[in-house]
Amino acid sequence: MDFSKRSLRGYALFISITLFAVNSELLMGQQLASSLPPGAGVDALVAPGTSSSQIPAGPTHPDTTATNGTQDIGAQDGDGSLPFPAAVVVQGKDRGTPVKIESTNPQTRVGSLYTLDKDVVITYGDRIIQADHVEYDSDTGDVTATGHLVVSGGPKHEEIHASHGTFNTQTETGTFYDVTGSIGLRLAPGRPRVNTVVSGLAAANPTRAVYDNGNPFLFTGRIVVKKGPDEYDVIDGSVTSCQLPKPDWLLTGGLFSLDGDTAKAKNTIFHLLNVPLLYLPYVTHPVDPNHRQSGLLIPSVGLFSSTKGNSVGEQVYFALNRSMDLTLGSVYYSLRGFSESGSFRYRGLRQNFVTGRFSALQDRGYTPTGGVYTNQGGEDFVVKARYDLAPAQGETPNARLVADVEYLSSYVYREAFTENFNQAVSTDILSTLYGVKNFDGYSASLRADRYEGLKPLAQTQAQVAAGDPVQNSQLTIFHIPELMFTSVDHRLGATPFLWSMDSSVGGLKRTQPLFTTGGVGRFDVHPEIAVPFSFEGVHVRAAVGVRETVYTKSRQTNGVAQGAMAESSSSLNRTDVEAEVDIRGPVLERTFDSPLLERVFGSEVKHTIEPSATYRFVGGINDFSHILRFDDVDVASNTNDLEYGVTQRLFLHPKKPRPCKLAEMADSTDADDAPDDEPNGKPAPPKCSTREFFSWRVGQKAFFNQSFGGALQNGRRNILDTTLNFSGIAFLTGPRSVSPVISRLRVRPNEVFDLEWNFDYDTVQGRFTSNNVFADAHRGNLFGGFSYAKLNAPGRFETDGLPSATTDFNQLRVLLGYGMPTKEGLSVAANAGIDAKLGSLQYGSLETSYNWNCCGLSVEYRKYELGSVRNENAYRFNFTLANIGTAGNLRRAERLF
């Protein structure tokens, strides 16, 4: 065929216009006006069933062109309608959030009215409208949709499925019919969009839907009226938080009003496991999981306890504001009476917080074995708080106020009623208030504290011979208050010397049976000068210091029986001179890379040996027996000793770096573990390199001054600064040249298993003074733990000058379990505490639970044997409904898993 130049130009123009129209969806200049605020953009949004890149281009019209503003798009057909490409971004009268319209079939337009058919998708901001047929007015924003209508998106991941409805993109209002919807239910990252919710509360593919929060909100309705961006009226519908298609619980009602935070309704029916269970004249249900509201909590009902009986309780919750809340409640025990409890929480800026809790019981009386009436009631009150003082602009907080205060009226009350075994057997209470400011390597603080503990009363020879039980009494020590100033090492001018100082001044008081001090003032200052140096791989730190301590009162010894205490009004001035040399030898190391080790450990093994020695001399403390005892400052004594030891370590180093697991990253010692960027610019996962597999520290002290300057008293347990800092286990009852050997071993072959074995072995007496083993294992749903603790050391009675009484403590703890709190299906766990010396069970529990998709049942049997105070068998349970609450008396913090 012969073409003229004019026809060739026309043919070229035709091809250009066609290509321009096919690619028009990439031209962001064609936008549709909207009054909506700027959204998230259309690139992050995907049409249902396919991505935007998968949408068929569809047929195109040879005369179609795209412009913006109010101009026509191409030349209209004779009937006033215009077919145009399957996907286009257009703009109406006003500029605003762009609106993208897509469909499989060609779209037509008459004025500002667009008609779209088959797989229609309208994207505006962070929302998407999908339907089989849509009529859309670009000027008003009105949308009329029929056939599989879906409206989704928004900051709360809202999604509405309906048979048909109307919607306005500018006001975000509309009416939908035959609706199933969700709030907080989103797609798993990286997965294509599917129809996750369909009419009748069924899911086409529920495994692809994930919860945006722990309590999503799902609803159905004959009619749903959308009154604003996050306000709905659900007519003749239901609400739930359970996974579909068969929710464990459901609320049905004539009208639910949703305001973005809460759903409210009147005259509703609560269904449990598809059974109508409860009529509720008025109910509210949270839509936003971060929103809290005041109200009554689910009543607590307890099963039988051998010492408390049955129980029933109720709590009321007050959401005071967005930063604080208050819970108050009461429980009635059929055998004991009423117990009250409460908690307060506040969270402020930075790390500021206040928490408080209290509990109390008015005991009607308990008759233990022997038929003796005992009142075990009492009160327990705890407050913890922190306030960071505002720093200068751009600085981090360096000053804070802290409180950790507890008042307990009776140890028996805590032992008899707490559900935590470790707390039940604890006899120590410490309350502290302090403020601290750090600056330029210095720290200034002001504190006041109160220590309270149980101390065995002294027994006479006749009582010991008769085997009478030991009676306890309270020991109380106060710091009221104390000002402290400390510093880290600072360079002394241009010299290699470093200086540091610890100092304090404050008031002290001690109260115990048969002895009470008045207010005692104490001033203590401890400056030190040190010089570090190295040679041939040996690191040395030599230091000299002095210590001056002034007491306004002292301890009277003349005319007082051994072990007894009496206060003297005479002041006391204690001065000492100190010298210390710390030597760290060169680290010996060797790397083993045999094929056998490579197969066993998956890497080569590095073995290191680190020897160390510390010589310490203190002289000038010749009046130790006259010093009143309040804390570790007062147990300083003369000493001339040498501490020596060696630490061995095994490190695993893979020959080929591999991705590092989270548990291994904390153990990694290689500076090259920092992730490098991949070629695409994204951070590469950290490479796991060298990590510690095994460490073992063995040490001992040799004493050249076996009387410690006269501080040592034969036949008594002696606690001195030099022994306390070494082992923590008292072993001095007479002169000796060496301390027990201490061993601290830890093995961590992988992130699944952890083992520690620590012991003190007394070579003089040929026995273990302490022996502790701790093991922990967890893999998947399986977990377990084991601990063994033995103490065979001088007891507290020796402090009072009585015949030697050894503390013989021998305890076993075992924990085994399968499952976790969020696991669906069956979980079971058991633990036990055994007194190996007596061969008796101190406590034990067996707990089993079964979780459905949004509800769970847990049942526990627990037993306590704590002497005459508590011998209890108890059954506890809870039944939990997601986003509703928990019924029962098994609290989350007391569960085994």
Side-chain angles (χ1 to χ4, degrees):
M1 181 180 292
D2 185 22
F3 292 99
S4 64
K5 293 182 180 180
R6 182 175 180 180
S7 64
L8 287 174
R9 288 194 298 269
Y11 185 73
L13 178 62
F14 168 78
I15 294 175
S16 300
I17 293 174
T18 302
L19 293 175
F20 184 86
V22 169
N23 294 278
S24 61
E25 73 171 288
L26 302 178
L27 302 179
M28 298 306 294
Q30 299 99 23
Q31 297 178 342
L32 179 65
S34 173
S35 61
L36 294 174
V42 298
D43 293 338
L45 300 172
V46 183
T50 181
S51 64
S52 59
S53 61
Q54 297 170 327
I55 298 176
T60 59
H61 193 279
D63 295 328
T64 301
T65 60
T67 60
N68 55 21
T70 57
Q71 301 177 8
D72 292 338
I73 301 180
Q76 296 184 0
D77 294 338
D79 60 358
S81 65
L82 172 69
F84 59 92
V88 64
V89 180
V90 295
Q91 181 173 341
K93 294 182 178 180
D94 301 320
R95 296 182 179 274
T97 300
V99 175
K100 179 181 178 181
I101 54 177
E102 303 171 81
S103 65
T104 301
N105 288 345
Q107 308 169 8
T108 61
R109 171 192 167 208
V110 177
S112 62
L113 181 64
Y114 293 79
T115 303
L116 307 95
D117 284 294
K118 194 175 181 180
D119 298 329
V120 180
V121 179
I122 297 180
T123 304
Y124 65 101
D126 58 353
R127 295 183 184 270
I128 299 176
I129 301 175
Q130 308 161 71
D132 295 337
H133 173 81
V134 172
E135 295 179 0
Y136 170 61
D137 191 318
S138 61
D139 288 345
T140 63
D142 289 331
V143 176
T144 301
T146 58
H148 302 97
L149 171 61
V150 180
V151 180
S152 60
K156 297 181 179 180
H157 301 286
E158 302 167 20
E159 188 162 318
I160 295 177
H161 292 247
S163 61
H164 61 286
T166 60
F167 190 75
N168 188 280
T169 60
Q170 298 179 12
T171 61
E172 295 196 48
T173 59
T175 304
F176 309 95
Y177 301 88
D178 307 319
V179 173
T180 297
S182 66
I183 299 175
L185 191 66
R186 61 178 174 83
L187 296 180
R191 291 176 173 173
R193 177 177 292 275
V194 295
N195 289 332
T196 57
V197 185
V198 296
S199 179
L201 285 176
N205 195 343
T207 61
R208 293 180 179 269
V210 297
Y211 284 177
D212 180 54
N213 57 71
N215 301 309
F217 182 83
L218 303 115
F219 58 92
T220 65
R222 182 175 59 85
I223 301 175
V224 172
V225 180
K226 184 173 175 61
K227 301 188 295 183
D230 54 3
E231 297 181 12
Y232 299 88
D233 277 347
V234 180
I235 301 173
D236 295 337
S238 65
V239 301
T240 185
S241 289
C242 298
Q243 293 182 13
L244 305 176
K246 296 180 179 180
D248 295 331
W249 67 263
L250 193 69
L251 275 174
T252 60
L255 175 64
F256 292 90
S257 297
L258 287 66
D259 61 3
D261 294 326
T262 306
K264 303 176 182 178
K266 297 180 179 180
N267 302 320
T268 60
I269 303 295
F270 179 76
H271 301 251
L272 180 61
L273 301 178
N274 206 30
V275 177
L277 189 65
L278 186 63
Y279 167 75
L280 301 172
Y282 178 78
V283 66
T284 63
H285 184 282
V287 176
D288 184 351
N290 297 318
H291 175 71
R292 303 168 301 154
Q293 66 183 66
S294 302
L296 294 175
L297 302 182
I298 294 180
S300 170
V301 179
L303 298 177
F304 177 76
S305 164
S306 60
T307 61
K308 302 182 183 72
N310 299 319
S311 65
V312 60
E314 178 59 294
Q315 290 181 307
V316 57
Y317 175 79
F318 300 94
L320 303 178
N321 56 41
R322 64 186 301 269
S323 301
M324 64 178 69
D325 56 31
L326 174 67
T327 304
L328 299 175
S330 179
V331 177
Y332 176 74
Y333 298 103
S334 60
L335 297 181
R336 310 304 292 272
F338 282 96
S339 172
E340 300 81 27
S341 63
S343 65
F344 172 82
R345 300 182 302 176
Y346 164 77
R347 175 65 66 177
L349 298 176
R350 296 182 290 273
Q351 299 186 57
N352 299 343
F353 75 93
V354 178
T355 61
R357 63 173 176 82
F358 82 91
S359 64
L361 180 96
Q362 293 75 50
D363 193 10
R364 290 204 306 259
Y366 170 55
T367 305
T369 303
V372 179
Y373 172 87
T374 304
N375 184 351
Q376 296 181 331
E379 301 85 33
D380 190 7
F381 182 82
V382 178
V383 174
K384 300 178 183 291
R386 169 173 173 160
Y387 178 74
D388 289 336
L389 300 179
Q393 186 68 27
E395 296 181 359
T396 57
N398 55 17
R400 63 184 182 274
L401 303 175
V402 178
D404 187 349
V405 179
E406 180 174 7
Y407 167 75
L408 178 65
S409 65
S410 168
Y411 284 100
V412 172
Y413 166 65
R414 186 165 69 178
E415 184 177 359
F417 287 95
T418 184
E419 301 299 336
N420 184 302
F421 175 78
N422 291 329
Q423 189 180 53
V425 297
S426 174
T427 61
D428 296 326
I429 298 176
L430 179 62
S431 297
T432 304
L433 297 168
Y434 73 86
V436 61
K437 180 175 177 60
N438 303 313
F439 56 97
D440 300 328
Y442 302 98
S443 177
S445 61
L446 179 67
R447 75 165 186 172
D449 62 50
R450 176 181 182 270
Y451 167 80
E452 182 180 2
L454 283 184
K455 184 178 185 297
L457 285 175
Q459 288 183 300
T460 65
Q461 295 282 2
Q463 289 175 321
V464 174
D468 291 344
V470 177
Q471 300 297 319
N472 294 322
S473 62
Q474 290 187 188
L475 165 68
T476 307
I477 299 175
F478 299 87
H479 291 76
I480 45 174
E482 187 172 32
L483 176 64
M484 293 178 289
F485 180 82
T486 61
S487 73
V488 299
D489 288 340
H490 287 75
R491 183 74 62 182
L492 189 62
T495 69
F497 294 97
L498 306 173
W499 72 271
S500 62
M501 184 177 66
D502 295 329
S503 60
S504 65
V505 58
L508 308 166
K509 183 176 181 179
R510 178 182 180 123
T511 301
Q512 67 185 59
L514 307 177
F515 177 72
T516 299
T517 70
V520 179
R522 186 183 68 189
F523 170 76
D524 180 67
V525 59
H526 185 197
E528 182 182 81
I529 295 179
V531 56
F533 58 92
S534 303
F535 63 93
E536 300 295 334
V538 178
H539 302 279
V540 181
R541 185 183 187 274
V544 295
V546 296
R547 187 167 197 168
E548 181 79 14
T549 309
V550 179
Y551 298 85
T552 60
K553 295 181 181 180
S554 59
R555 180 177 178 180
Q556 181 179 342
T557 57
N558 296 332
V560 179
Q562 185 180 19
M565 298 182 67
E567 183 184 74
S568 172
S569 60
S570 300
S571 62
L572 186 146
N573 188 9
R574 185 187 70 181
T575 305
D576 69 46
V577 178
E578 304 176 2
E580 182 178 283
V581 180
D582 183 75
I583 304 174
R584 306 284 170 168
V587 178
L588 307 177
E589 63 179 52
R590 180 177 177 181
T591 300
F592 302 89
D593 57 356
S594 68
L596 176 61
L597 291 176
E598 181 72 23
R599 288 194 298 269
V600 173
F601 296 104
S603 62
E604 59 187 19
V605 179
K606 178 183 290 187
H607 179 212
T608 66
I609 301 176
E610 307 167 28
S612 64
T614 302
Y615 172 77
R616 187 165 182 256
F617 171 83
V618 178
I621 304 177
N622 302 315
D623 46 11
F624 185 84
S625 61
H626 295 89
I627 298 173
L628 294 167
R629 315 290 165 75
F630 301 98
D631 52 37
D632 56 343
V633 173
D634 309 313
V635 294
S637 68
N638 290 345
T639 187
N640 186 5
D641 60 63
L642 175 66
E643 178 182 345
Y644 44 88
V646 62
T647 302
Q648 300 190 65
R649 305 179 194 272
L650 292 178
F651 296 94
L652 300 183
H653 183 81
K655 292 184 176 181
K656 295 181 179 180
R658 54 184 174 79
C660 194
K661 297 180 180 179
L662 182 62
E664 297 175 316
M665 291 177 64
D667 294 334
S668 181
T669 59
D670 197 325
D672 294 334
D673 287 342
D676 297 323
D677 289 345
E678 292 182 339
N680 59 10
K682 296 182 179 180
K687 295 297 189 295
C688 199
S689 190
T690 304
R691 67 181 182 87
E692 185 179 278
F693 157 69
F694 170 92
S695 67
W696 185 21
R697 165 72 178 172
V698 178
Q700 190 178 34
K701 265 193 175 186
F703 303 111
F704 308 114
N705 181 354
Q706 298 184 21
S707 67
F708 299 92
L712 186 72
Q713 297 187 38
N714 288 321
R716 296 186 57 199
R717 184 181 72 164
N718 293 264
I719 300 177
L720 304 177
D721 177 66
T722 185
T723 59
L724 186 64
N725 291 334
F726 175 68
S727 129
I729 305 297
F731 58 85
L732 279 178
T733 57
R736 58 188 301 160
S737 59
V738 293
S739 73
V741 176
I742 64 168
S743 172
R744 306 291 183 259
L745 181 144
R746 178 177 180 180
V747 181
R748 193 177 188 187
N750 49 47
E751 68 275 10
V752 174
F753 181 74
D754 196 354
L755 172 67
E756 289 188 38
W757 180 22
N758 303 325
F759 67 79
D760 291 13
Y761 181 76
D762 195 333
T763 57
V764 175
Q765 298 186 5
R767 69 181 186 185
F768 288 93
T769 55
S770 71
N771 195 0
N772 305 295
V773 180
F774 308 94
D776 178 75
H778 52 89
R779 187 177 185 89
N781 288 318
L782 292 172
F783 60 91
F786 170 82
S787 68
Y788 170 75
K790 181 175 178 60
L791 179 64
N792 190 8
R796 298 180 71 170
F797 297 128
E798 294 190 72
T799 304
D800 298 315
L802 298 171
S804 178
T806 300
T807 299
D808 191 0
F809 179 86
N810 201 349
Q811 301 283 315
L812 289 173
R813 303 284 186 266
V814 181
L815 170 66
L816 293 172
Y818 168 78
M820 60 182 63
T822 58
K823 175 185 174 295
E824 288 195 19
L826 181 68
S827 296
V828 62
N831 72 341
I834 302 170
D835 189 322
K837 178 183 176 182
L838 301 177
S840 62
L841 180 73
Q842 289 185 317
Y843 77 93
S845 61
L846 174 64
E847 182 179 318
T848 182
S849 68
Y850 194 93
N851 291 329
W852 291 265
N853 60 59
C854 78
C855 71
L857 175 66
S858 298
V859 179
E860 180 190 76
Y861 166 74
R862 183 167 293 198
K863 179 179 180 61
Y864 296 92
E865 288 189 6
L866 303 178
S868 62
V869 175
R870 187 175 187 180
N871 190 349
E872 178 184 11
N873 295 285
Y875 299 87
R876 303 192 298 171
F877 82 100
N878 70 26
F879 182 74
T880 302
L881 293 173
N883 219 13
I884 293 293
T886 299
N889 60 342
L890 178 57
R891 299 179 179 87
R892 178 185 301 178
E894 299 162 1
R895 298 182 57 170
L896 300 183
F897 52 81

